[in-house]
Amino acid sequence: MTSRTYMLLFSVLCCVAGQNVWAQSLDLEDIAQAVAEYESLFEDTDLASDPALEVELRRLMPLLPESILPTVVESDSIKTTLSARSSILGWWRSQDPLPASEVNERMVEHVRRVQYALDHYGCTSCEEGYDERGEIYVRYGEPERISRVTFDDPLLIDAIYQPGIAVSPADFPDNEFWRYLNLDRDAYFLFIQDGGFYRIGDTSDLLPSVLRSGLGYSGRGLVKSRMLLAAMRSIYRQLALEHHHFGSRFNDVDLWLAAREETGRLRGRDNVENSKIITGAALVQGETPEQLDLDQELRQPPILFAQNTILSARTQDQQAAYQREILLPSSTSEVLNALPTFALGVRHARFLKPDGTTTTEIYWHPESTSFTVPGHPAQEEYIIKSFVAQEDAAHTRLNTMTDAIRVEMPSASEAVTIPVQTIEVNGSTGLYHLALQWDQHEVTPAGIGNRLQLASRRIDSLRALDASGATLEMSDLIPLAHNIDTDELVPWPHEWIYKGMRFGLGFEIYHLAYGQGDQTSYKVTYQVSSGRRRISSTSVEFEGQSRLETEEVYLDLGQRAGEIIVTVSVQDQISGQEISRSLTLTLFDDQG
């Protein structure tokens, strides 16, 4: 694929994706072909030295997990080896949000974002083809809000226009403040125009260099210090409207300047009132500024207060950037945000089979209100289609399975009652992954109608159970609930349970060692904890004659609502080997 063809591919994908790629579209073949061409960029061995491939790898680097980066980067150089490209393709497959569809919608979304970044944030001197605004856009999509710090306020102009010091509004850099509160309350980025393109900066970068240098105790230095503080007050006043982090900074600078201004704005205001000069953003978000020691703050000379304020701001900006690195994912997708989804309880458990392979059982069940479709009239019945793809360690599909069930809706006064569904995935060895999707369809006289809602899950990095026979092994834990009609324990796939519900666990133990008389002896410990607090712990010893044992047990989970962790530990009394499994549940006071 040539560079020209690669750029044309962007255009094809963007045009097609712009027509609601996630709908059941007549352009599906065009989309699939375009995605296949994009994938060929990583598959074609003739393209290993193609500049377009290296550019795309650079664009992908901020999105990739740390586990893949070493295969792509070495000593700050991009590797275009077959191993690197295979890792990228495997990662792309793991990002597919709708595994039952013909295309990878996340890949289409990425291509659209890249094209938008090239069109709106292009940078000819940047290796990726766009500046750092483009990088953030490709990672997180459109910001919730974009604003700018302006410097045309008449009060600011009066404060910084001083004889002998050449500063004007044109000396302040253009900038953009992007906010992603939909991702995290502290997700924001300040971009500074620098040399014709934008980079991520901090608040001190908004100050002209002529104001940041030459501060001192001379008359000129004192004037520059006051000009600098006036500029900072204007900057923080505007940023405080965007995020609470800047509220206390504005308060500090405003109080210091107000105490020295002719109007004496502090006169007649007590300390509580002064502490509220923070703008609406902090107050709306419920943030309370720290109480200031006004006497100590106001006694500082201009140069010292200005320098301390800049140093403090840089430290806070660095801390905020560090927090973003920790809190924010490497990238996000909006594919599922544009689609109606329904809630499902989904759990899985691995079991060892006699042939040495691992079977994964997937239990799923809709939440009570799942079938309500906003804006769509209720129907007497629906069809739920299920799809499962089994993938190898590189996320290459090994096989797929599909199924469908018919759900009849009861009267308005009754709850939907369908049994918990189980899907079996057989023959797993080594490392494997599962991709799942459920589609709710309307039923028409002609048969299955349009898709109304969907749900999807990924179960990644599953490892087949040890079949060697030399090591104690154990299945995953199956949450079980008592079925009143059958008086049996059945799988419970939901993340929650409620008080009064009869709850249990099921699991299997493999490769128990034989002792004298071909007898096995093992101890099972059940522990229920909440955080670091242990609620209960019970141990039971068993003897048997088989290396394989199946256990089912009722458990008392206590009466304290909240998240609880159930851990089951098995100790082989003959070999001394131990193994344990855990699961997490949320305990509610009642079923409602």
Side-chain angles (χ1 to χ4, degrees), residues 363-416:
Y363 315 105
W364 66 272
H365 189 259
E367 300 288 0
S368 58
T369 60
S370 290
F371 297 115
T372 302
V373 183
H376 194 277
Q379 291 193 294
E380 294 182 354
E381 58 182 355
Y382 297 100
I383 295 293
I384 305 295
K385 290 183 177 180
S386 61
F387 172 91
V388 180
Q390 184 182 16
E391 304 170 347
D392 64 12
H395 293 279
T396 301
R397 286 192 178 178
L398 301 174
N399 58 71
T400 61
M401 292 167 286
T402 59
D403 198 3
I405 63 170
R406 184 182 296 267
V407 179
E408 296 183 356
M409 303 300 292
S411 63
S413 60
E414 298 177 323
V416 180

Side-chain angles (χ1 to χ4, degrees), residues 305-323:
F305 183 74
Q307 290 175 336
N308 288 341
T309 301
I310 290 178
L311 289 175
S312 175
R314 284 176 176 166
T315 300
Q316 293 178 60
D317 289 338
Q318 291 171 359
Q319 291 174 343
Y322 178 72
Q323 283 295 108

Side-chain angles (χ1 to χ4, degrees), residues 142-189:
E142 185 176 355
E144 174 220 2
R145 175 177 166 84
I146 297 178
S147 60
R148 293 168 178 81
V149 177
T150 61
F151 303 95
D152 54 1
D153 179 19
L155 293 177
L156 173 63
I157 294 174
D158 288 344
I160 65 173
Y161 187 73
Q162 300 292 333
I165 303 177
V167 180
S168 71
D171 295 314
F172 292 86
D174 288 336
N175 60 88
E176 293 183 9
F177 187 87
W178 289 19
R179 197 172 71 181
Y180 288 92
L181 297 188
N182 54 316
L183 301 181
D184 188 88
R185 67 196 301 264
D186 292 332
Y188 63 83
F189 300 89

Side-chain angles (χ1 to χ4, degrees), residues 88-270:
I88 295 292
L89 274 179
W91 175 78
W92 266 127
R93 296 185 192 109
S94 74
Q95 300 300 297
D96 190 354
L98 301 175
S101 68
E102 295 293 329
V103 298
N104 186 332
E105 291 80 6
R106 177 66 183 96
M107 187 181 290
V108 176
E109 179 184 50
H110 169 74
V111 173
R112 290 184 63 198
R113 287 180 178 179
V114 168
Q115 187 61 52
Y116 186 92
L118 291 171
D119 291 342
H120 294 81
Y121 312 120
C123 171
T124 56
S125 61
C126 302
E127 293 179 326
E128 297 83 357
Y130 44 70
D131 61 22
E132 293 188 6
R133 293 174 302 171
E135 176 189 322
I136 297 303
Y137 185 90
V138 170
R139 292 174 64 183
Y140 302 119
E142 185 176 355
E144 174 220 2
R145 175 177 166 84
I146 297 178
S147 60
R148 293 168 178 81
V149 177
T150 61
F151 303 95
D152 54 1
D153 179 19
L155 293 177
L156 173 63
I157 294 174
D158 288 344
I160 65 173
Y161 187 73
Q162 300 292 333
I165 303 177
V167 180
S168 71
D171 295 314
F172 292 86
D174 288 336
N175 60 88
E176 293 183 9
F177 187 87
W178 289 19
R179 197 172 71 181
Y180 288 92
L181 297 188
N182 54 316
L183 301 181
D184 188 88
R185 67 196 301 264
D186 292 332
Y188 63 83
F189 300 89
L190 175 63
F191 299 99
I192 309 294
Q193 189 179 49
D194 185 4
F197 62 92
Y198 285 76
R199 60 173 176 82
I200 295 177
D202 56 41
T203 50
S204 63
D205 293 324
L206 292 170
L207 299 167
S209 58
V210 67
L211 288 183
R212 285 181 283 167
S213 60
L215 302 179
Y217 289 95
S218 65
R220 179 183 175 86
L222 292 174
V223 170
K224 290 184 69 173
S225 297
R226 288 175 179 264
M227 294 168 61
L228 178 66
L229 290 169
M232 294 172 72
R233 176 170 62 184
S234 177
I235 290 169
Y236 294 144
R237 178 191 291 117
Q238 296 175 66
L239 290 178
L241 290 170
E242 303 299 330
H243 199 277
H244 66 87
H245 277 179
F246 304 99
S248 59
R249 301 191 203 181
F250 167 69
N251 196 48
D252 292 348
V253 177
D254 185 62
L255 288 174
W256 191 95
L257 288 172
R260 288 159 174 77
E261 291 173 343
E262 293 181 2
T263 55
R265 291 188 297 116
L266 287 182
R267 189 175 304 157
R269 294 203 312 229
D270 59 23

Side-chain angles (χ1 to χ4, degrees), residues 276-488:
K276 293 180 180 177
I277 312 175
I278 298 192
T279 76
L283 300 179
V284 169
Q285 297 186 29
E287 295 294 328
T288 303
E290 296 181 2
Q291 186 65 37
L292 298 175
D293 183 349
L294 291 178
D295 291 339
Q296 180 180 355
E297 294 285 340
L298 299 180
R299 282 199 299 266
Q300 293 187 42
I303 178 176
L304 184 59
F305 183 74
Q307 290 175 336
N308 288 341
T309 301
I310 290 178
L311 289 175
S312 175
R314 284 176 176 166
T315 300
Q316 293 178 60
D317 289 338
Q318 291 171 359
Q319 291 174 343
Y322 178 72
Q323 283 295 108
R324 286 196 298 271
E325 287 295 318
I326 295 175
L327 295 174
L328 295 185
S330 57
S331 64
T332 59
S333 172
E334 298 174 316
V335 171
L336 293 180
N337 295 347
L339 296 171
T341 58
F342 64 97
L344 280 179
V346 181
R347 285 191 181 268
H348 70 277
R350 297 164 298 160
F351 297 93
L352 190 60
K353 293 302 179 181
D355 63 359
T357 63
T358 294
T359 288
T360 306
E361 291 188 357
I362 302 162
Y363 315 105
W364 66 272
H365 189 259
E367 300 288 0
S368 58
T369 60
S370 290
F371 297 115
T372 302
V373 183
H376 194 277
Q379 291 193 294
E380 294 182 354
E381 58 182 355
Y382 297 100
I383 295 293
I384 305 295
K385 290 183 177 180
S386 61
F387 172 91
V388 180
Q390 184 182 16
E391 304 170 347
D392 64 12
H395 293 279
T396 301
R397 286 192 178 178
L398 301 174
N399 58 71
T400 61
M401 292 167 286
T402 59
D403 198 3
I405 63 170
R406 184 182 296 267
V407 179
E408 296 183 356
M409 303 300 292
S411 63
S413 60
E414 298 177 323
V416 180
T417 56
I418 65 172
V420 173
Q421 303 296 305
T422 302
I423 303 172
E424 283 193 7
V425 181
N426 298 310
S428 298
T429 58
L431 184 68
Y432 63 102
H433 317 276
L434 301 176
L436 305 98
Q437 181 175 330
W438 295 264
D439 296 321
Q440 176 186 352
H441 289 263
E442 62 181 349
V443 178
T444 68
I448 299 177
N450 293 327
R451 183 178 68 193
L452 303 176
Q453 299 186 115
L454 61 85
S456 66
R457 295 284 193 282
R458 285 203 62 89
I459 307 174
D460 283 315
S461 301
L462 293 170
R463 190 167 293 280
L465 299 180
D466 185 357
S468 66
T471 304
L472 183 66
E473 187 58 284
M474 181 180 181
S475 73
D476 295 311
L477 303 179
I478 312 173
L480 302 172
H482 180 253
N483 186 310
I484 299 176
D485 296 330
T486 63
D487 195 29
E488 295 177 340

